[in-house]
Amino acid sequence: MFKVIYSILMYFQSLETFIIIFSIIFLFKNKKRKTFIIGVILLFAISFVLNHETVFLFPWKEFNALYTSPYFKIDGIINFGPIIVFILITLSFTIVYDLRFIDILFATTTSYIIQHFYYNLTKIIVLITHAERFTWSELLIYTGTFILCIIVYCFVLMKIIHKDMMILKSNFKTMISIIGIITINIISSWTKSTGMKNLAAYVYALVLTILLIIMQFFSYSLSRTEYEKELTERALDASRREFAFAKNNYETISRKAHDLKYILKKQNLTEQSLFDLQESLKEFETITNTGNDIINIVLSEKRLICLQNSIDFSFVVDYELLSFIDETDLFLLLNNALDNAIEAEKKESKNERYIYLKIAKANRNVIINIENYCSKKVIFDKNIPVTSKKDKTYHGIGSLSMKYTVEKYKGDITFSLNDNVFSCFMIFLLPNDIIHKQDKV
């Protein structure tokens, strides 16, 4: 009975199965191929055939495991067996997930490194506790450490990894993966060589493995930051184009509305007909009371959208306070914030829909606050609201671009939800010339 339990539990903790399980966890949120089930079955079939831990139940496996065969060793020390196993598993993953090969390689390499972390940690515990081979105590140590690795991996490390694997540049990812594979194989061969199976050797190997894990996840975090900046730059470029288009439309519509009103006055229309037509034209009239063309452009467009969607839109604006912000940046901030608010209000019942914009002075600062009704739960990731759209790949890019733009002017931006009121709050320190000008008023 012990042999059966031992073989089954150790099978799931072997090199092959460990890499498969942890790679599936790593890649779980990514796009799966239609052959996903077949691929997973193939992976575990490879694992079963190559696995050496079930030798109790299948004695023929004593001569089957690649990484224990003398034919794949140089001078009986440097072992290429595990690398062959690793390559077979990595290739098999290409029919499981619809990803570039380099993305799969990065995932399996990470799992390969973590497997060696687990292996060295268990060896250290076994040596410290003097647990004997093929005993319940040894099995408990291995199984407990394996479960601990899964828990830590899922609830701590995996929080760093998002579903988009494309953020790591191919060359960088290849370099990290190759370094990891070669280093791990050298460490493994070294600790298993004659005379090196001692506590100091495993501790040294464990430290090196931890450094490799840090390298893997640091490279991901670093690349993600660069990726977000790249997407933000794209968002800024798109915003510049949108601003130019909106400005042109704003000027054209304002001019046409003005000309049409002039023509209507010369027509032989009844007072009521003239009044009705002029009221209809109000939707296209310029909002001239702000005194700032950029604010006029944004509010004109958003006011029209709000009218079409039964959203009560009100604002209080002190336009002179924002003269220190570049017109394209100001357009991006107001346009993105109001677009987000409008999208949120479209999901609310018509009698609850409202948006309120306030641009005002607060001591030596200027604040921009956009509020809207929100009955839905909002999830925040690093203080950025997560999109409710199905495609999360580029979630929060609009909000991130706002964050980078605000920080460009040494400002601060916060998003919050309290009592069904969602708020986007921006604050900037006013330049001295604007403060002096305001004090004179």
Side-chain angles (χ1 to χ4, degrees):
M1 183 64 180
F2 171 76
K3 288 183 177 182
V4 174
I5 296 173
Y6 184 93
S7 296
I8 292 172
L9 291 178
M10 292 303 288
Y11 164 73
F12 286 102
Q13 300 166 49
S14 64
L15 172 67
E16 308 91 343
T17 316
F18 194 104
I19 293 174
I20 293 169
I21 292 173
F22 278 70
S23 295
I24 289 174
I25 294 173
F26 190 104
L27 298 170
F28 186 74
K29 290 185 178 181
N30 286 274
K31 185 178 180 181
K32 302 172 183 64
R33 293 190 184 275
K34 293 180 180 179
T35 54
F36 177 78
I37 301 298
I38 296 172
V40 170
I41 293 172
L42 176 63
L43 281 165
F44 281 102
I46 292 173
S47 171
F48 175 77
V49 171
L50 299 179
N51 187 274
H52 188 255
E53 301 299 338
T54 52
V55 68
F56 276 158
L57 301 180
F58 307 97
W60 54 269
K61 287 194 170 189
E62 183 69 37
F63 311 99
N64 187 64
L66 285 175
Y67 55 90
T68 59
S69 173
Y71 298 109
F72 295 97
K73 293 182 180 180
I74 298 177
D75 295 329
I77 298 176
I78 303 301
N79 190 356
F80 288 101
I83 292 183
I84 295 173
V85 172
F86 172 82
I87 292 171
L88 285 172
I89 291 172
T90 302
L91 290 173
S92 298
F93 261 104
T94 59
I95 65 170
V96 176
Y97 287 98
D98 189 11
L99 293 168
R100 299 175 303 175
F101 177 76
I102 191 61
D103 297 319
I104 293 171
L105 178 63
F106 185 79
T108 52
T109 301
T110 301
S111 302
Y112 189 27
I113 293 170
I114 293 174
Q115 195 277 337
H116 280 272
F117 166 82
Y118 152 80
Y119 173 81
N120 289 299
L121 181 60
T122 51
K123 287 296 182 182
I124 290 169
I125 297 172
V126 167
L127 286 173
I128 292 173
T129 58
H130 302 288
E132 294 182 7
R133 183 79 168 135
F134 305 125
T135 61
W136 285 106
S137 57
E138 184 206 35
L139 183 60
L140 182 63
I141 290 170
Y142 273 83
T143 305
T145 310
F146 178 75
I147 294 171
L148 178 64
C149 281
I150 288 183
I151 293 173
V152 172
Y153 188 69
C154 291
F155 293 96
V156 180
L157 298 181
M158 285 305 295
K159 287 187 178 294
I160 301 173
I161 303 297
H162 295 257
K163 67 176 282 187
D164 47 306
M165 287 293 297
M166 301 295 288
I167 71 170
L168 281 172
K169 302 298 182 183
S170 294
N171 293 339
F172 186 57
K173 200 183 298 185
T174 303
M175 180 186 70
I176 292 294
S177 298
I178 291 173
I179 290 172
I181 294 166
I182 293 174
T183 307
I184 282 298
N185 196 54
I186 292 173
I187 292 172
S188 177
S189 299
W190 176 65
T191 54
K192 289 179 180 179
S193 62
T194 306
M196 298 301 291
K197 294 183 179 180
N198 55 60
L199 184 61
Y202 287 121
V203 169
Y204 185 67
L206 181 67
V207 171
L208 289 177
T209 308
I210 291 172
L211 291 175
L212 283 171
I213 292 172
I214 293 172
M215 182 179 71
Q216 288 286 102
F217 286 95
F218 177 75
S219 68
Y220 190 95
S221 298
L222 183 64
S223 294
R224 181 165 187 85
T225 300
E226 293 175 354
Y227 178 72
E228 288 177 348
K229 285 183 179 179
E230 183 181 331
L231 287 181
T232 300
E233 282 301 318
R234 291 182 192 174
L236 290 170
D237 289 339
S239 181
R240 292 185 188 102
R241 291 192 296 271
E242 188 178 355
F243 167 62
F245 181 75
K247 186 176 182 180
N248 182 63
N249 281 351
Y250 165 81
E251 291 171 350
T252 302
I253 291 173
S254 296
R255 186 171 58 254
K256 293 292 183 184
H258 180 270
D259 293 344
L260 189 55
K261 282 182 68 178
Y262 179 76
I263 293 170
L264 285 174
K265 285 181 180 179
K266 293 189 173 183
Q267 300 301 312
N268 187 21
L269 298 172
T270 64
E271 261 188 49
Q272 184 60 45
S273 297
L274 182 60
F275 175 79
D276 290 340
L277 284 169
Q278 288 179 335
E279 284 296 306
S280 299
L281 281 172
K282 281 184 179 180
E283 292 186 7
F284 303 96
E285 285 186 318
T286 306
I287 303 173
T288 56
N289 62 341
T290 68
N292 184 301
D293 286 343
I294 310 305
I295 298 175
N296 289 346
I297 290 170
V298 176
L299 296 189
S300 294
E301 180 188 0
K302 305 312 172 190
R303 176 173 172 266
L304 178 58
I305 295 173
C306 286
L307 282 170
Q308 293 170 343
N309 289 276
S310 304
I311 301 172
D312 181 18
F313 180 33
S314 58
F315 50 88
V316 176
V317 174
D318 188 342
Y319 70 92
E320 291 184 339
L321 296 172
L322 299 176
S323 59
F324 67 96
I325 299 179
D326 177 79
E327 61 179 18
T328 306
D329 292 335
L330 181 58
F331 176 83
L332 180 144
L333 292 174
L334 295 178
N335 192 60
N336 278 346
L338 290 172
D339 274 348
N340 291 341
I342 289 170
E343 285 304 311
E345 293 312 286
K346 287 179 180 179
K347 300 172 184 176
E348 304 293 345
S349 58
K350 289 188 177 182
N351 60 328
E352 300 284 1
R353 297 177 183 178
Y354 83 87
I355 297 173
Y356 175 66
L357 165 67
K358 180 180 181 181
I359 301 174
K361 183 181 177 185
N363 297 322
R364 298 177 65 85
N365 303 303
V366 58
I367 62 167
I368 303 176
N369 190 36
I370 297 97
E371 295 182 350
N372 60 275
Y373 181 78
C374 182
S375 62
K376 310 291 190 301
K377 181 180 178 181
V378 178
I379 300 172
F380 294 88
D381 179 14
K382 296 180 181 178
N383 298 319
I384 300 293
V386 175
T387 181
S388 57
K389 296 176 182 177
K390 289 183 178 180
D391 184 7
K392 305 282 196 252
T393 304
Y394 306 107
H395 89 75
I397 294 303
S399 298
L400 274 174
S401 63
M402 291 171 63
K403 181 176 182 291
Y404 286 124
T405 303
V406 169
E407 289 174 351
K408 174 181 173 181
Y409 295 91
K410 305 295 189 296
D412 189 34
I413 182 170
T414 56
F415 301 92
S416 61
L417 177 61
N418 295 299
D419 298 325
N420 291 339
V421 176
F422 183 87
S423 172
C424 172
F425 183 84
M426 293 170 265
I427 184 168
F428 304 88
L429 181 65
L430 281 169
N432 289 329
D433 59 331
I434 296 179
I435 294 175
H436 294 327
K437 187 177 180 180
Q438 288 283 312
D439 290 341
K440 290 179 181 179
V441 177

